[in-house]
């Protein structure tokens, strides 16, 4: 099935079996292997990408459902010589060990910052209140990204640093 | 995954019509439950009708002073909506207690209501399950059934419905709006949408084949406070063991039955002047735990009592 998705700013036209997930379209068809397949069932967050600016699990979505959408994967966030502030912060804070979850953590951070900016509540937000940028809020909002190496304290520190730098 | 064909529906009416045309056709909205199950070949649709982009994602006030929420609205959009947060906080809180941000960004109102049980035996195709394979037996009955229902179960199925959102909607007296392949529309009380298992646990709702949920309608918010509480094995990103939604004098329990469970006995007792603890004791007299899930009785009693006090504190 013919599907056109703008991936990291470039329109890509693919002829896909409808069974192809967005994650497999990125990894197997476009050879963008940054987004990882940890569980393939929405349970780990390693496949997190931004679709029209919103973070989702690419493993639980069909590519054909994204015809016409704009997708940003880790490859579109920054490059080795032009790192995004969130990537710099992850390096500075040593926010990973093996790095397997990191592309998902970074894309998820970008989604989190946009959601906070838009005032979206989480279960840590007091009823009716505007969410604040606290450690509890960051941990709750990043709970969809599992880190098997347990770099969580450093990931929270990196998100704090990135938010300060981007403010 | 088994092969299937795919189409994007043009309108709600066309989607319902298309669903009746192809045997084995299914709607897909966010895909977060259906694709999970298709990968395991527990769901094997022959044709997918994508309803995720239909113009039924609006959240708008009703002339009666309530709110209508389109079935394609994302869980995130509903939880963050200013009217929902201000007037139906229990709904926002319930949604935010479920899944992860990534899942809620994708999950729709319609799909959330029709998510299937997370019973481990339903998910394991090597085990008997009357819901997945009618007549094969129930693996959970004598198995690891710590999360089993305490209300409304049968010998055929003891699973629970695991939606958080639906528990709040049940307490809020929501109605589910649908359109059928014939073009007929109807409005169903949310508490009538899901069926108890009886001897046909594979028939999960009162919807007819091809009937599309178009919206959920809320009456004006009740007088009094609202609260949602959920207990799970970790603080976030985990399905619940039990939950409770309080909306004024109305009360619904989650993960204790194959549908969001309106605690009518407790509501009656509260109206008659019972304390929250007494009211919950009255409700739980009707419970039938199975051993491994006995803990749900004191858990639900304490959880609901605390939530009623919390709501009363907010309503004052
Ligand atoms: C790891 C994980 C953790 C989760 N944790 C929780 C949790 O803690 N609490 C919780 O409540 N949920 C939880 N969920 C479930 C999640 O909320 C559901 O997957 C989601 O709400 C389903 O919505 P969807 O739009 O993606 O549905 P889909 O997967 O698209 O569809 C689900 C079903 O609904 C049908 N359907 C969809 N839209 C309509 C419509 N408009 N009319 C008629 N039928 C329709 C489909 O045919 C399908 O049968 C979790 C899911 C995952 C993967
Ligand atoms: S409890 Fe229900 S869903 Fe679970 S194995 Fe038994 S029949 Fe299947
Ligand atoms: S690979 Fe998508 S959530 Fe784990
Ligand atoms: S750094 Fe290894 S999984 Fe997170």
């Amino acid at each position: 099935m013919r599907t056109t998705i703008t991936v990291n700013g470039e329109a890509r036209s693919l002829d896909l079996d409808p069974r192809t997930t967005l994650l497999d379209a990125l990894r197997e068809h476009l050879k963008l292997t940054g987004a990882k397949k940890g569980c393939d069932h929405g349970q780990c967050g390693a496949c997190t990408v931004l679709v029209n600016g919103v973070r989702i699990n690419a493993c639980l979505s069909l590519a054909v459902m994204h015809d016409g959408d704009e997708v940003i994967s880790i490859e579109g966030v920054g490059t080795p010589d032009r790192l995004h502030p969130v990537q710099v912060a992850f390096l500075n804070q040593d926010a990973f060990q093996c790095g397997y979850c990191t592309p998902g953590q970074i894309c998820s951070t970008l989604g989190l910052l946009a959601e906070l900016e838009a005032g979206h509540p989480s279960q840590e937000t007091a009823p009716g209140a505007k969410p604040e940028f606290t450690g509890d809020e960051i941990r709750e909002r990043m709970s969809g990204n599992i880190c098997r190496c347990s770099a969580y304290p450093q990931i929270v520190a990196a998100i704090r640093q990135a938010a300060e730098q981007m403010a | 995954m088994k092969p299937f064909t795919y189409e994007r529906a043009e309108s709600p009416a066309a989607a319902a019509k298309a669903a009746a045309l192809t045997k084995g056709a299914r709607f897909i909205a966010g895909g977060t439950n259906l694709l999970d199950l298709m990968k395991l070949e527990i769901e094997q649709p022959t044709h997918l009708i994508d309803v995720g982009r239909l113009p039924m994602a609006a959240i708008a006030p009703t002339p009666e002073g309530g709110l209508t929420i389109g079935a394609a609205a994302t869980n995130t959009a509903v939880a963050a909506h200013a009217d929902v947060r201000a007037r139906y906080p229990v709904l926002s809180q319930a949604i935010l207690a479920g899944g992860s941000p990534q899942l809620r960004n994708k999950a729709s109102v319609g799909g959330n209501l029709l998510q299937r049980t997370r019973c481990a035996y339903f998910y394991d195709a090597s085990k008997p399950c009357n819901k997945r394979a009618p007549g094969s037996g129930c693996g959970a009955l004598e198995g690891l059934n710590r999360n089993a229902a305490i209300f409304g179960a049968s010998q055929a199925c003891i699973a629970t419905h695991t939606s958080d959102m639906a528990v709040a909607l049940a307490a809020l007296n929501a109605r589910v709006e649908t359109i059928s392949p014939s073009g007929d529309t109807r409005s169903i009380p949310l508490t009538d949408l899901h069926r108890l298992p009886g001897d046909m646990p594979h028939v999960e709702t009162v919807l007819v084949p091809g009937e599309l949920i178009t919206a959920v309608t809320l009456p004006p918010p009740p007088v009094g406070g609202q609260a949602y509480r959920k207990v799970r094995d970790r603080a976030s990103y985990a399905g619940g063991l039990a939950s409770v939604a309080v909306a004024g004098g109305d009360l619904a329990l989650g993960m204790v039955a194959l549908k969001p469970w309106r605690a009518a006995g407790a509501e009656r007792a509260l109206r008659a002047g019972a304390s929250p603890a007494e009211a919950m004791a009255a409700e739980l007299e009707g419970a039938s735990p199975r051993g491994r899930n006995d803990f749900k009785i004191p858990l639900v009693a304490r959880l609901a009592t605390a939530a009623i006090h919390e709501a009363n504190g907010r309503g004052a």
Side-chain angles (χ1 to χ4, degrees):
Chain A
M1 213 179 153
R2 185 53 64 182
T3 302
T4 304
I5 308 176
T6 301
V7 180
N8 300 329
E10 205 183 315
R12 308 293 294 264
S13 190
L14 297 165
D15 192 21
L16 298 171
D17 183 315
R19 287 176 288 185
T20 315
T21 61
L22 177 59
L23 181 60
D24 284 341
L26 293 172
R27 290 181 54 86
E28 309 297 333
H29 294 261
L30 297 174
K31 305 298 172 197
L32 294 169
T33 54
K36 296 290 183 278
K37 188 184 280 191
C39 67
D40 215 19
H41 286 279
Q43 299 171 0
C44 76
C47 63
T48 304
V49 298
L50 299 164
V51 173
N52 303 329
V54 174
R55 54 176 165 164
I56 67 162
N57 303 115
C59 70
L60 282 190
S61 213
L62 296 172
V64 292
M65 291 161 71
H66 293 287
D67 189 46
D69 281 349
E70 293 195 17
V71 174
I72 303 282
S73 66
I74 189 66
E75 290 87 349
V77 173
T79 58
D81 42 310
R82 283 200 55 173
L83 292 174
H84 186 281
V86 174
Q87 292 172 310
V88 174
F90 269 68
L91 283 170
N92 286 170
Q93 299 294 337
D94 215 5
F96 43 80
Q97 284 185 42
C98 76
Y100 191 83
C101 71
T102 314
Q105 301 279 2
I106 290 175
C107 288
S108 196
T109 300
L110 292 168
L112 173 156
L113 294 172
E115 289 158 15
L116 268 175
E117 182 75 24
H120 290 184
S122 82
Q123 65 173 3
E124 291 300 321
T125 314
K130 194 171 175 297
E132 289 171 38
F133 197 70
T134 63
D136 283 347
E137 282 278 14
I138 297 173
R139 279 185 286 275
E140 163 56 22
R141 288 164 190 268
M142 291 299 287
S143 74
N145 292 85
I146 309 291
C147 175
R148 198 65 184 79
C149 303
S150 217
Y152 298 113
Q154 293 83 356
I155 292 170
V156 174
I159 294 172
R160 282 186 187 278
Q161 177 187 323
E164 276 164 31
Q165 280 173 358
M166 289 165 70
Chain B
M1 238 190 270
K2 299 281 191 215
F4 55 84
T5 48
Y6 169 93
E7 72 174 289
R8 257 190 207 184
E10 305 261 309
S11 69
K17 213 173 208 165
L21 285 179
T22 313
K23 193 168 180 303
R26 290 292 287 276
F27 302 122
I28 187 166
T32 61
N33 187 235
L34 189 56
L35 289 170
D36 186 17
L37 293 165
M38 284 167 63
K39 288 181 184 191
L40 299 166
E41 299 191 354
I42 291 167
E43 296 268 21
Q44 304 187 356
T46 58
H47 181 61
L48 289 183
I49 301 163
D50 192 343
V51 299
R53 304 196 185 214
L54 288 178
M56 50 176 203
I59 304 175
T62 64
E64 295 76 32
L67 199 66
T68 163
I69 301 171
T74 65
N75 284 190
T76 295
V78 179
H81 193 274
D83 281 351
V84 175
R85 291 192 73 196
R87 301 174 67 219
Y88 305 97
V90 65
L91 177 57
S92 179
Q93 286 166 13
I95 291 172
L96 294 172
S100 68
Q102 288 95 318
L103 288 164
R104 295 192 296 267
N105 283 342
K106 200 81 197 318
S108 67
V109 169
N112 188 317
L113 286 176
L114 297 187
Q115 64 175 281
R116 304 195 69 191
T117 184
R118 295 192 91 82
C119 172
Y121 296 87
F122 171 76
Y123 264 80
D124 182 347
S126 71
K127 299 286 193 301
C129 170
N130 288 325
K131 195 183 255 307
R132 173 169 35 76
S136 63
C138 169
L141 210 53
E142 302 303 329
L144 298 173
N145 52 25
R146 172 173 173 261
N147 214 351
I150 55 172
F151 291 112
S154 70
Q155 283 301 305
C157 178
I158 57 171
T160 59
H161 195 255
T162 47
S163 164
D164 287 281
M165 182 190 79
V167 184
L169 291 177
L172 288 166
N173 295 302
R175 297 184 75 88
V176 177
E177 318 295 336
T178 71
I179 183 164
S180 288
S182 61
D184 291 346
T185 60
R186 63 171 172 157
S187 169
I188 309 165
L190 182 112
T191 44
D192 292 347
L193 176 67
H194 301 97
R195 291 180 70 259
L196 286 173
D199 54 8
M200 290 197 301
H202 60 288
V203 184
E204 301 182 346
T205 68
V206 299
L207 300 180
V208 301
E211 191 169 357
L212 178 78
I213 300 178
T214 53
V216 165
T217 307
L218 298 174
V223 177
Q226 301 178 22
Y228 188 75
R229 291 208 180 189
K230 172 183 183 184
V231 173
R232 52 202 137 161
D233 286 327
R234 57 184 185 207
S236 185
Y237 200 15
L241 295 167
S243 79
V244 55
V246 185
D250 293 338
L251 200 63
L253 304 173
M255 301 109 205
V256 295
L258 203 46
K259 60 188 291 184
W261 189 259
R262 254 316 263 273
E267 291 172 3
R268 269 195 307 275
L270 283 172
R271 275 196 297 273
S275 71
E278 289 163 352
M280 285 317 299
E283 180 70 33
L284 287 160
E285 265 170 31
S288 344
R290 313 196 54 85
R292 284 192 171 87
N293 66 351
D294 285 355
F295 71 92
K296 286 196 180 186
I297 304 281
L299 178 65
V300 168
R302 291 200 285 263
L303 191 67
T305 303
I308 296 167
H309 283 299
E310 182 184 334
N312 287 346
R314 285 196 186 131

